[in-house]
Amino acid sequence: MLLEDKNLWQAALGEIELAISKANFITWFRGTRLIRKGNGSVTIHVPNTFAKEWLEKKYHKFIIRALRNLSQEIKEVEYTLNPVEAAIAASPAQTSKTFKQFTELPKIEDDQLEIKDIIVDKETGLNPKYTLENFIVGASNELAYAAALSVIKNPGATYNPLFIYGGVGLGKTHLLQAVGNALVARPERIKVKYLSSEKFTNDVIGAIQNQGMEKLNDQYRRIDVLIIDDIQFLAGKERTQEVFFHTFNALYERNKQIILSSDRAPRAIPTLEERLRSRFEGGMIADIGYPDFETRLGILKAKLKERGVAINQEVQEYVASVIQRNIRELEGALNRLLASCRISGNANPSVQEAKVILEHFLAVPKKMISVKHVLKSVADFYDLNERDLMNRSRRKEVVKPRQICMYLIREELSGSYPFIGERLGGRDHTTVIHGYEKIQREMERDETLAEEIRLIKERLYL
Amino acid sequence: MKFICLKENLREGLSIAERIIDKNPSLPILEHLLLKTEKGQLVITATNLEIGIQHRISGKIEEEGVITSPARTFSQFINLSLQEKITLESTSYNLTIRDKKTETTLKSLDPEEYPIFPSFTPEESFVVKNKDLTEALESVIIALAGSELRPELAGVFISLKDSGVICAATDSFRLAEKKIPQGKSQQKEASFIVPSRTIQEVIRIGRIKPHEEVEILFNKNQITFNFPSTILTSRLISGSFPDYQQIIPQNPKTELLVAKKDFLHILQLASIVAGKLREVHFLYDGGDALTLKSRNPELGEHRSHLEIKKKGGEGIALNFNVNYLLDVLPLLRGDEVKLAFHGEARPGMFTSPLDPNYLYIVMPLKT
């Protein structure tokens, strides 16, 4: 129904455009929209009072005539300033007075806390904005979601620990927080604690320095559900892992639920103590993959609804089809599009216009990476020294990463085999060929490897 | 039209009106001022379609009439005139500006094409002293969001309550609120959000006659400020301003009183070597001094001690963006600043002990 109305106004504008100068048309008709039609009367929304006066007093005749030419039953036209929320189903977000209003402003820097962060509950570390309801489920995350539901139903019983892993910006934190929020909302008082492994590490360090270890252990063992985000950061931190190991046991033995998230599967976290790895693998492991088109579209719709804004279906589909990586990017593109609309006053861009607006967004120039970046990223990922990659060592732990370097330099930088050989410790180009092809083959067989390489690439381009 | 007036009055009126004119408006006539004689005065109108200004100047009307004139060019001539009196005379599509020694004729446009200054039915109105209004607005605009991404944050939130008029603004990293107490209990409660551009103009005009009053009329979409000789009308921002009362922290864990001058000085020093995030570390261990540290991996580091005049509370270790603090210090009344902290990841509040009506809170950076 709305589409018809929109077309009606577009057609009328087309006629009006021919009758007046371009400057006048742009000045007075930009941002106008037909928001109601019925019983022979039509209501046009105008962006400011000056336009209202002008259209009413100077262009009314043109407008009525143009509309009547298209639809004879129209007898009167009204102009209103009232925001277009009238046309778009008034979303609770607009009328709500709570802090949901403070949704993401483009963060200047990640470290600067925003006022909305205050609504994070200090005790639990949970932010009420993450719920199961606004977590969009699709093929890429339905396993993780189902596992989460199960945990909520029976914490500590079925899937313990629950280990969720996946790439950047795919919703791990959202899901973890949503589980926490759902548990906290239960009538029986369940003590939930959510924190990042970084915070856990800091707590441990603090406790060591202040002789507060006993107090820390006590504190962590009193909770019913422990949720730790980004557990991969424990890699290489022996003391912290040890404390975590004991905490884990203390909770697990009393059937207390533990939920963890990571950017990769337990077996792919280097320098993770074996005993921790086996405990993680002893529970339920679920991965969250990249959302498919349907899921992305669903997420887009949900975010639009949350903000009480609407853009037409084609543009939504376009954005969902073209932003394929992660959900944060989707949100970023959405913000960009909406901001552009607000500034230009055109609240209903066409697909063509959206393409232009997002052009800069999409064609983010591939960050200039060099061999040095590749070496560093791979070394960091496997917790090695860059030198190890270049020396003569044939230790298994070093050979594979080295071969991965060869693969990446070849793939991403199109380095020649001799060049790569030289940069990786004066090796022969045939060694490089072998390494490259080996990785290529293995990637097809071994999903973990493919996953690792994907993660490394992600970091390269961040 | 023929109108004679003092150059100074004309100059002042032009400087008020022309500021809101867009540099490259979509319609050429928007670059013009509308000059019309009305009820014994000359009314100068300017608009950019979001804000409209009408300023009235007194003078002698020898012939009624209406004409337009390109704002910038017109004001350039008036600004440079050395004479005391100016005569404005129009013929069909020209305006002649004449003083004792010079004569300039500028081409005009058809005044019929000039946008109609909107009238609207106000729902509510109230009155404030210019001085109070401009002071309140100046003290909250420092917290405004520069970006249009969240329009409801791109303006100043003004709410009318029994106790008075409250102005607030935030960019979600810091928030400023100033109350203008009103003696008698007013009309019913209402609130609206005024775009930042409009606020800037209100401040400029309000500063001209600080001891006079301005009458403010508004409805859901539009607001008008009736100053003594100037009317400013503007759209309002639609949308709801967040309910920020919730986040104003109570029960500080630490309260410190410091000398404003010293605090400002130390912050300025610290800001030189503050890193990309502009962070300055505040360290307090319950003693007599507050330590401020800043560090820039490329330049170096800095540390200084600020003597505390009155202390109280727990130790703190928090990082704040130094620019946010430098923004507010010059606006705090008196020689002392009260700092209140509420724990990790909770905002710091900066106020003047002399002004219970103003508060400024800043979210910290992650430690």
Side-chain angles (χ1 to χ4, degrees):
Chain A
M1 187 49 44
L2 220 56
L3 207 61
E4 260 181 41
D5 294 347
K6 180 178 158 218
N7 285 341
L8 174 64
W9 185 234
Q10 296 288 41
L13 285 180
E15 227 186 272
I16 297 170
E17 191 171 7
L18 294 170
I20 63 180
S21 79
K22 183 164 169 181
N24 274 309
F25 182 71
I26 295 178
T27 306
W28 302 116
F29 289 91
R30 173 166 61 181
T32 56
R33 193 183 353 255
L34 193 154
I35 61 171
R36 201 190 61 81
K37 173 167 163 291
N39 295 340
S41 99
V42 154
T43 309
I44 304 287
H45 170 252
V46 283
N48 61 62
T49 29
F50 285 93
K52 181 167 187 280
E53 291 280 338
W54 201 256
L55 294 184
E56 273 173 0
K57 304 229 161 69
K58 302 269 186 168
Y59 285 135
H60 187 67
K61 291 213 178 66
F62 275 123
I63 295 170
I64 274 228
R65 197 170 9 166
L67 284 169
R68 279 176 67 83
N69 280 345
L70 296 160
S71 174
Q72 257 114 12
E73 81 245 13
I74 295 178
K75 292 204 186 59
E76 46 173 50
V77 180
E78 278 178 345
Y79 308 92
T80 177
L81 284 165
N82 285 322
V84 200
E85 274 127 59
I88 302 162
S91 154
Q94 285 286 354
T95 49
S96 155
K97 283 199 166 92
T98 68
F99 259 85
K100 285 191 191 159
Q101 297 283 100
F102 266 146
T103 53
E104 271 70 34
L105 254 189
K107 277 223 174 99
I108 299 169
E109 296 287 348
D110 258 356
D111 279 3
Q112 168 69 59
L113 292 172
E114 284 183 60
I115 289 175
K116 71 170 164 62
D117 293 340
I118 305 180
I119 54 173
V120 169
D121 183 320
K122 204 172 172 230
E123 271 303 309
T124 61
L126 292 172
N127 186 331
K129 75 168 178 175
Y130 294 117
T131 66
L132 286 173
E133 284 77 45
N134 58 23
F135 184 82
I136 308 294
V137 190
S140 55
N141 59 17
E142 57 189 7
L143 180 60
Y145 183 73
L149 286 183
S150 198
V151 162
I152 293 171
K153 228 164 105 179
N154 275 319
T158 37
Y159 298 137
N160 201 9
L162 174 58
F163 191 100
I164 311 247
Y165 75 93
V168 168
L170 295 180
K172 300 188 296 293
T173 301
H174 187 153
L175 190 57
L176 257 55
Q177 286 252 354
V179 172
N181 281 322
L183 289 169
V184 150
R186 295 250 289 240
E188 58 272 34
R189 299 198 55 209
I190 303 185
K191 276 200 142 143
V192 178
K193 193 165 173 76
Y194 165 94
L195 67 166
S196 68
S197 71
E198 224 181 308
K199 175 151 195 316
F200 184 77
T201 308
N202 286 337
D203 280 357
V204 169
I205 295 176
I208 295 175
Q209 287 176 343
N210 302 334
Q211 331 282 28
M213 194 49 87
E214 215 180 293
K215 186 166 163 223
L216 184 79
N217 284 335
D218 210 42
Q219 194 194 359
Y220 276 101
R221 281 161 209 193
R222 292 226 195 125
I223 50 193
D224 300 314
V225 180
L226 178 62
I227 309 178
I228 301 198
D229 221 342
D230 287 321
I231 199 85
Q232 75 272 11
F233 288 128
L234 284 193
K237 304 193 170 86
E238 284 176 10
R239 190 65 210 270
T240 311
Q241 284 189 38
E242 190 176 331
V243 174
F244 182 69
F245 174 71
H246 293 297
T247 309
F248 185 103
N249 281 343
L251 292 169
Y252 186 79
E253 276 151 25
R254 284 150 56 227
N255 287 328
K256 302 294 182 185
Q257 180 70 43
I258 299 158
I259 308 177
L260 307 165
S261 86
S262 166
D263 65 348
R264 59 191 105 163
R267 58 180 177 272
I269 303 178
T271 62
L272 181 68
E273 285 188 24
E274 194 47 49
R275 53 188 180 167
L276 275 180
R277 185 194 326 278
S278 73
R279 267 160 185 72
F280 295 167
E281 290 180 347
M284 167 74 176
I285 303 184
D287 71 314
I288 297 187
Y290 286 105
D292 60 12
F293 174 74
E294 270 81 31
T295 316
R296 295 197 296 267
L297 192 57
I299 294 170
L300 208 55
K301 282 191 194 293
K303 292 210 182 283
L304 283 170
K305 183 154 169 236
E306 206 182 302
R307 301 194 197 190
V309 186
I311 50 177
N312 68 60
Q313 180 72 9
E314 299 160 318
V315 174
Q316 287 182 31
E317 290 180 5
Y318 170 70
V319 177
S321 72
V322 105
I323 310 281
Q324 291 166 355
R325 299 205 279 272
N326 62 55
I327 301 169
R328 273 208 198 100
E329 266 201 25
L330 199 58
E331 180 140 15
L334 182 64
N335 285 339
R336 184 62 189 267
L337 195 61
L338 292 178
S340 196
C341 289
R342 264 198 267 272
I343 295 170
S344 71
N346 173 13
N348 239 326
S350 66
V351 175
Q352 199 44 42
E353 288 167 339
K355 268 194 197 159
V356 172
I357 295 169
L358 293 181
E359 191 177 62
H360 298 291
F361 190 95
L362 297 173
V364 169
K366 234 180 174 182
K367 176 168 153 199
M368 290 306 287
I369 56 165
S370 66
V371 172
K372 207 159 94 138
H373 287 116
V374 174
L375 290 180
K376 183 169 192 315
S377 296
V378 174
D380 281 348
F381 192 83
Y382 291 104
D383 207 38
L384 297 169
N385 259 316
E386 284 168 44
R387 263 172 294 126
D388 294 333
L389 292 171
M390 295 195 288
N391 65 22
R392 314 301 308 169
S393 164
R394 289 209 193 191
R395 275 186 304 128
K396 181 168 64 161
E397 299 82 18
V398 179
V399 166
K400 190 177 83 163
R402 194 183 291 130
Q403 287 172 334
I404 291 180
C405 285
M406 296 175 185
Y407 173 80
L408 286 173
I409 301 175
R410 179 78 180 173
E411 284 286 293
E412 306 294 314
L413 301 172
S414 309
S416 72
Y417 292 124
F419 171 75
I420 302 175
E422 200 181 322
R423 292 305 298 268
L424 281 177
R427 288 178 153 79
D428 190 77
H429 75 281
T430 52
T431 312
V432 180
I433 297 177
H434 164 76
Y436 172 77
E437 290 179 351
K438 175 153 185 254
I439 296 290
Q440 246 189 346
R441 272 193 319 267
E442 293 240 340
M443 268 178 81
E444 293 184 14
R445 287 189 313 114
D446 182 356
E447 245 198 67
T448 317
L449 180 64
E451 182 78 8
E452 289 177 5
I453 293 187
R454 191 184 49 72
L455 280 167
I456 299 173
K457 272 206 228 172
E458 225 173 68
R459 275 147 213 258
L460 264 182
Y461 287 108
L462 260 173
Chain B
M1 179 197 84
K2 192 163 178 198
F3 180 76
I4 307 170
C5 64
L6 289 177
K7 181 208 77 182
E8 192 42 43
N9 290 344
L10 187 56
R11 194 202 58 77
E12 185 188 63
L14 290 180
S15 82
I16 290 175
E18 64 156 342
R19 209 169 337 239
I20 56 157
I21 291 189
D22 270 342
K23 297 259 183 321
N24 280 317
S26 50
L27 210 53
I29 201 166
L30 292 175
E31 282 177 320
H32 281 231
L33 299 168
L34 184 73
L35 307 163
K36 181 168 182 211
T37 56
E38 196 179 281
K39 297 192 192 143
Q41 292 185 304
L42 180 72
V43 181
I44 304 172
T45 307
T47 178
N48 59 17
L49 299 187
E50 295 209 328
I51 306 177
I53 292 187
Q54 271 189 338
H55 182 84
R56 289 180 296 284
I57 59 179
S58 313
K60 182 155 169 223
I61 302 179
E62 289 199 354
E63 191 183 313
E64 306 268 358
V66 60
I67 192 73
T68 77
S69 195
R72 273 240 309 234
T73 323
F74 185 23
S75 69
Q76 279 174 330
F77 277 106
I78 299 298
N79 285 338
L80 282 175
S81 165
L82 300 168
Q83 305 305 319
E84 219 185 278
K85 292 210 196 117
I86 303 272
T87 304
L88 301 173
E89 191 169 349
S90 70
T91 56
S92 348
Y93 291 123
N94 286 327
L95 173 69
T96 304
I97 310 163
R98 214 178 283 123
D99 68 25
K100 208 150 85 175
K101 300 243 171 96
T102 71
E103 181 176 303
T104 314
T105 302
L106 297 175
K107 292 201 168 80
S108 312
L109 293 173
D110 180 4
E112 285 296 305
E113 292 296 306
Y114 199 81
I116 303 167
F117 207 75
S119 54
F120 73 106
T121 346
E123 278 168 10
E124 300 288 339
S125 73
F126 62 105
V127 175
V128 245
K129 241 199 171 124
N130 286 352
K131 190 163 83 85
D132 293 335
L133 184 63
T134 52
E135 192 187 338
L137 294 177
E138 278 168 333
S139 59
V140 303
I141 50 169
I142 53 171
L144 268 184
S147 104
E148 281 274 331
L149 206 61
R150 291 302 311 286
E152 44 287 12
L153 300 186
V156 172
F157 178 67
I158 301 184
S159 60
L160 306 178
K161 295 220 164 28
D162 243 14
S163 50
V165 179
I166 307 178
C167 303
T170 178
D171 61 1
S172 96
F173 302 112
R174 53 193 166 151
L175 181 142
E177 182 200 65
K178 172 96 179 182
K179 297 191 172 101
I180 307 174
Q182 299 278 68
K184 38 198 178 352
S185 144
Q186 294 280 354
Q187 60 297 309
K188 59 182 212 248
E189 302 203 345
S191 64
F192 44 85
I193 309 172
V194 185
S196 70
R197 184 85 202 281
T198 309
I199 297 286
Q200 287 165 14
E201 295 308 315
V202 170
I203 293 176
R204 274 192 204 108
I205 301 174
R207 279 207 201 120
I208 298 174
K209 296 209 165 81
H211 298 289
E212 307 237 353
E213 286 181 337
V214 56
E215 187 196 6
I216 302 172
L217 307 101
F218 61 96
N219 64 19
K220 214 164 20 141
N221 302 306
Q222 195 82 358
I223 187 169
T224 295
F225 295 81
N226 270 344
F227 291 96
S229 315
T230 319
I231 301 178
L232 186 149
T233 189
S234 151
R235 69 177 180 101
L236 288 171
I237 294 181
S238 59
S240 337
F241 199 77
D243 182 10
Y244 65 89
Q245 289 300 332
Q246 303 176 27
I247 61 126
I248 295 181
Q250 314 287 344
N251 305 325
K253 294 208 167 118
T254 312
E255 263 187 332
L256 308 170
L257 195 65
V258 299
K260 185 170 85 172
K261 203 164 65 120
D262 297 337
F263 190 28
L264 181 60
H265 180 71
I266 286 188
L267 283 177
Q268 284 167 334
L269 283 173
S271 78
I272 301 173
V273 226
K276 190 168 59 126
L277 295 175
R278 310 302 299 144
E279 65 185 57
V280 170
H281 185 72
F282 282 58
L283 190 60
Y284 176 64
D285 58 4
D288 289 315
L290 173 68
T291 306
L292 271 70
K293 295 195 237 182
S294 64
R295 197 160 77 94
N296 181 325
E298 280 152 42
L299 287 176
E301 45 183 70
H302 169 87
R303 172 209 304 249
S304 51
H305 298 290
L306 180 60
E307 191 190 304
I308 298 182
K309 296 173 127 203
K310 200 162 90 176
K311 58 189 176 178
E314 307 178 350
I316 54 153
L318 286 171
N319 290 342
F320 286 101
N321 178 321
V322 65
N323 291 350
Y324 293 160
L325 301 178
L326 289 173
D327 281 342
V328 73
L329 281 189
L331 296 171
L332 294 171
R333 276 193 215 154
D335 299 321
E336 295 172 331
V337 179
K338 188 160 85 169
L339 289 71
F341 302 104
H342 307 80
E344 193 186 305
R346 301 201 82 81
M349 183 145 80
F350 302 85
T351 51
S352 154
L354 298 179
D355 188 359
N357 291 323
Y358 182 57
L359 63 83
Y360 185 78
I361 64 177
V362 183
M363 286 299 287
L365 288 134
K366 279 193 210 154
T367 1

